[in-house]
Amino acid sequence: GGVSRGRREFIVAIDGPAGSGKSTTARRCAQELGLRHLDTGAMYRAVTLKVLETGTDWRSAKALRRLLARTRLSIRWHHHGYSVMLDGRDVS
């Protein structure tokens, strides 16, 4: 972890097969420990949405690099969780 604003921060990653309860476990652990929970799968799904909407050839690394170079993906934190922002649009 790193140090930010005088407090210690860290990242916990949970890996496993689809449907094994990773997200549920992560949300509950974060809630119990008073930590933020970020589902990185939501970020992958946002990029996939842009690929589909633009008709980009997902099999082409070159086309994906071009698309990603002009893509803004960010997380907007709220008191109740977060929103995934894709090019300024909430795609949560």
Side-chain angles (χ1 to χ4, degrees), residues 4-72:
S4 175
R5 288 175 266 147
R7 64 181 181 161
R8 189 136 174 93
E9 294 184 1
F10 58 95
I11 297 171
V12 176
I14 300 174
D15 194 13
S20 62
K22 297 179 302 289
S23 293
T24 300
T25 300
R27 271 192 302 276
R28 287 183 182 164
C29 286
Q31 184 177 13
E32 288 293 319
L33 297 171
L35 302 172
R36 287 181 172 177
H37 169 256
L38 174 62
D39 177 5
T40 54
M43 298 166 68
Y44 284 103
R45 289 186 293 276
V47 171
T48 300
L49 175 64
K50 184 162 183 177
V51 169
L52 294 172
E53 287 180 344
T54 61
T56 300
D57 181 1
W58 59 269
R59 293 165 294 211
S60 168
K62 185 177 180 180
L64 290 173
R65 276 193 300 275
R66 277 196 314 264
L67 180 73
L68 292 174
R70 61 179 197 270
T71 299
R72 290 179 316 148

Side-chain angles (χ1 to χ4, degrees), residues 63-83:
L64 290 173
R65 276 193 300 275
R66 277 196 314 264
L67 180 73
L68 292 174
R70 61 179 197 270
T71 299
R72 290 179 316 148
L73 182 65
S74 62
I75 301 299
R76 194 173 283 165
W77 292 97
H78 309 287
H79 67 279
H80 59 278
Y82 62 90
S83 299

